[in-house]
């Protein structure tokens, strides 16, 4: 099957230009003016932007978190992603049984995703303990297409500094990336305990017990460990506050290389006042929502390139079910919120159309950079001959309101209910097939493929 996308404005991180795109089978054959091919179906994109299929490198499909399980499996979650313009995800594996090796979780995740995902997908490993076996296994994980691993500095299977350092050193040798959830566990635990002991159990205390400095301290510490490991590639997930961004800037000013930073739409567009609403539990996620001045600092960080990626941390629990575990005590509420479908339109509307970031930076942060950092580029993240035929046609003038009934996740709410946005996704294509059109899923269960990712820096 051949397709020509005609007369669209093609957007890359470097430029925006009018062109036609010819997709032959699964890949882009050429991009140019006045392309014609008798066999090709033609899709008119005049007046629209054509961007690469977006890449979300921070999702948690089917995540088992304590006694709760995220409600999107790899089918529902990737349908939502596809309808929101995302054609590739890299999912963070859950912790496995105590003492399990890395391949235990890899096998589990293949079982969860293979035959279900509707878009292409990869996985990040998770380090839940460190010994010789785990350090040796990192190489086999990279060979199996998983050249990245996540370290948590809080939660049950957090690593201590020496363990994190060993992972960083080994991943540097392998050319892999280590992702970090940065929060100072002892401080957060102390604050949470104190809140509960003094009867401060409402959702707002989720935010109060996870202060900005508890995050930025951990960010600074991780950056020091990465520096000590010889500027090991380090990726800070869901950075949420200005102090953390300052820690990143300090490290870079001192010359440290290979630092990558991600933030998420919720930290750019929502603030901690949400916790005071009657449905405040919807926003219990870690790190928590911050203040308007943090949002402002993050937009500035994105605009100047200090933040490279916008991921979602999509981790949905139903408000009327799992989230209610926290109704009398916020510490019992499973952490996480949905967002995989809202990311691209939100960032376009709130970022590009409100002049906070350029159109090219938008494409860089939701498509190209995540693909580059995590070894999917140039197969994914860019529109160019030889790349996969993954693209999104975006109508920049259409206005609509985000409401739960328009979303495709299995979860019972959207964190952005009622938000007016400008810019609507008309069509989403993956490897030459239309997977979403006018807000409806048109793809196929199990059509997504596992992406065997390359090490950082290899193209
Ligand atoms: O609250 C969150 N973010 N839940 C998902 C797991 C994580 O920390 O990324
Ligand atoms: Zn996290
Ligand atoms: Zn996460």
């Amino acid at each position: 099957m051949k397709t020509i996308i005609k007369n669209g404005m093609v957007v890359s991180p470097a430029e925006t230009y009018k062109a036609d795109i010819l997709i032959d089978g699964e890949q882009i054959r050429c991009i140019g003016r006045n392309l014609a091919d008798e066999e090709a179906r033609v899709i008119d994109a005049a007046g629209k932007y054509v961007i690469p299929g977006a890449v979300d490198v921070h999702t948690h499909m089917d995540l088992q978190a304590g006694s709760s399980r995220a409600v999107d499996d790899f089918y529902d979650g990737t349908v939502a992603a596809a309808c929101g313009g995302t054609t590739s995800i890299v999912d963070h594996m859950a912790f496995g049984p105590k003492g399990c090796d890395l391949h235990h979780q890899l096998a589990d995740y293949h079982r969860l995703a293979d035959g279900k995902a509707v878009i292409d997908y990869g996985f990040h490993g998770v380090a839940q303990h460190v010994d010789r076996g785990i350090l040796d296994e990192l190489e086999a994980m990279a060979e199996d297409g998983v050249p990245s691993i996540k370290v948590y500095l809080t939660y049950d299977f957090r690593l201590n500094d020496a363990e994190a350092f060993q992972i960083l050193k080994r991943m540097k040798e392998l050319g892999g990336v280590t992702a970090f959830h940065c929060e100072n566990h002892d401080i957060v635990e102390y604050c949470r305990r104190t809140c509960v002991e003094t009867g401060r159990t409402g959702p707002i205390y989720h935010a109060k017990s996870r202060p900005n400095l508890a995050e930025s301290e951990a960010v600074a510490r991780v950056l020091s460990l990465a520096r000590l490991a010889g500027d090991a590639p380090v990726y800070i997930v869901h950075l949420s506050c200005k102090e953390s961004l300052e820690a990143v800037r300090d490290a870079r000013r001192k010359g440290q290389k290979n630092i990558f930073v991600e933030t998420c739409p919720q930290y750019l567009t929502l603030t901690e006042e949400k916790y005071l609403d009657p449905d405040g539990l919807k926003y219990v996620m870690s790190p928590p929502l911050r203040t308007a001045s943090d949002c402002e600092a993050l937009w500035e960080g994105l605009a100047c390139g200090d933040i490279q990626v916008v991921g979602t941390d999509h981790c949905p629990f139903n408000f009327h079910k799992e989230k209610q575990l926290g109704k009398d005590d916020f510490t019992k509420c499973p952490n996480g919120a949905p967002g995989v479908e809202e990311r691209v339109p939100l960032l376009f509307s709130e970022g590009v159309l409100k002049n906070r970031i350029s159109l090219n930076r938008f494409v860089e942060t939701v498509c190209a950079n995540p693909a580059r950092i995590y070894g999917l580029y140039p197969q994914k993240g860019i529109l160019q001959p030889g790349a996969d035929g993954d693209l999104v046609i975006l109508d920049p003038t259409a206005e609509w309101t985000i409401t739960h009934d328009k979303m495709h996740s299995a979860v019972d709410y959207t964190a952005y209910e009622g938000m007016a946005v400008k810019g609507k996704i008309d069509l989403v294509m993956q490897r030459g097939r239309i997977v979403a059109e006018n807000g409806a899923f048109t793809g196929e269960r199990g059509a997504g493929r596992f992406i065997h990712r390359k090490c950082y820096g290899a193209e």
Side-chain angles (χ1 to χ4, degrees), residues 58-60 92 150 152 181 237-238 262 286 312-315:
H58 192 159
T59 61
H60 296 277
H92 282 287
K150 171 117 162 249
Y152 290 85
H181 173 127
V237 301
H238 52 42
E262 168 201 279
S286 297
T312 62
D313 199 10
H314 179 81
C315 188

Side-chain angles (χ1 to χ4, degrees), residues 22-345:
L22 170 61
I23 299 148
D24 187 356
E26 298 199 337
Q27 290 184 337
I28 296 173
R29 164 103 70 82
C30 56
I31 302 182
R33 298 301 277 265
N34 304 317
L35 298 184
D37 187 312
E38 280 177 1
E39 293 164 30
R41 75 178 152 179
V42 174
I43 297 173
D44 182 31
K48 316 272 170 78
Y49 291 124
V50 185
I51 68 168
V55 179
D56 188 351
V57 291
H58 192 159
T59 61
H60 296 277
M61 304 304 177
D62 226 340
L63 178 90
Q64 187 68 46
S67 61
S68 299
R69 196 162 185 103
V71 298
D72 277 339
D73 64 9
F74 274 86
Y75 177 75
D76 291 321
T78 55
V79 167
C83 292
T86 291
T87 51
S88 307
I89 59 165
V90 185
D91 197 82
H92 282 287
M93 295 174 190
F95 296 128
K98 189 171 172 21
C100 72
D101 64 15
L102 302 174
H103 280 80
H104 177 281
Q105 287 311 89
L106 179 56
D108 209 35
Y109 269 68
H110 273 299
R111 264 193 303 275
L112 294 174
D114 299 352
K116 264 193 187 169
V118 306
I119 55 168
D120 293 350
Y121 59 95
F123 308 122
H124 301 284
V126 60
Q128 56 184 70
H129 74 281
V130 176
D131 57 20
R132 194 65 258 162
I134 294 292
L135 293 170
D136 287 345
E137 209 187 340
L138 289 170
E139 185 168 13
M141 286 289 278
E143 284 165 5
D144 291 334
V146 184
S148 56
I149 190 149
K150 171 117 162 249
V151 171
Y152 290 85
L153 298 183
T154 187
Y155 303 147
D156 285 353
F157 285 119
R158 66 194 171 276
L159 298 191
N160 66 32
D161 293 351
E163 290 166 334
F165 177 58
Q166 292 172 74
I167 295 281
L168 279 161
K169 271 204 311 188
R170 184 68 190 126
M171 288 300 276
K172 186 191 177 210
E173 287 164 3
L174 296 169
V177 176
T178 312
F180 279 86
H181 173 127
C182 297
E183 287 185 289
N184 182 312
H185 178 78
D186 290 344
I187 295 301
V188 165
E189 275 312 297
Y190 167 75
C191 294
R192 274 155 60 91
R193 215 174 36 245
T194 310
C195 279
V196 173
E197 282 167 6
T198 54
R200 293 173 290 164
T201 54
I204 185 66
Y205 296 106
H206 173 70
K208 300 295 178 207
S209 61
R210 304 182 100 96
N212 290 18
L213 289 173
E215 179 184 311
S216 62
E217 182 281 332
V219 169
R221 181 159 34 103
V222 159
L223 295 178
S224 295
L225 297 178
R227 188 172 181 198
L228 196 61
D231 285 359
V234 60
Y235 181 99
I236 310 296
V237 301
H238 52 42
L239 183 135
S240 73
C241 63
K242 49 186 174 307
E243 291 85 350
S244 294
L245 191 52
E246 265 319 301
V248 169
R249 287 180 174 138
D250 275 353
R252 287 188 179 135
R253 260 195 298 271
K254 288 174 189 143
Q256 187 170 340
K257 303 277 184 294
N258 302 326
I259 302 171
F260 308 109
V261 178
E262 168 201 279
T263 191
C264 309
Q266 56 272 33
Y267 302 119
L268 292 161
T269 61
L270 304 175
T271 56
E272 65 178 10
E273 285 77 33
K274 287 278 181 199
Y275 295 115
L276 297 169
D277 290 351
D279 59 357
L281 289 169
K282 287 179 180 171
Y283 309 93
V284 171
M285 61 184 84
S286 297
L289 301 177
R290 305 294 191 185
T291 65
S293 78
D294 289 298
C295 299
E296 216 40 59
L298 297 179
W299 280 117
E300 282 164 18
L302 264 187
C304 71
D306 284 347
I307 298 174
Q308 287 74 49
V309 174
V310 177
T312 62
D313 199 10
H314 179 81
C315 188
F317 299 100
N318 283 320
F319 174 61
H320 290 290
K321 196 168 175 210
E322 293 85 7
K323 288 284 190 188
Q324 293 306 316
L325 291 169
K327 71 180 182 348
D328 300 320
D329 176 353
F330 72 90
T331 65
K332 305 267 187 334
C333 182
N335 280 211
V340 75
E341 189 166 355
E342 296 94 326
R343 176 182 67 140
V344 171

Side-chain angles (χ1 to χ4, degrees), residues 350-364:
E350 289 292 306
V352 179
L353 296 184
K354 293 195 174 167
N355 292 319
R356 288 161 160 152
I357 55 170
S358 71
L359 180 63
N360 306 97
R361 183 74 79 198
F362 159 68
V363 163
E364 186 170 56

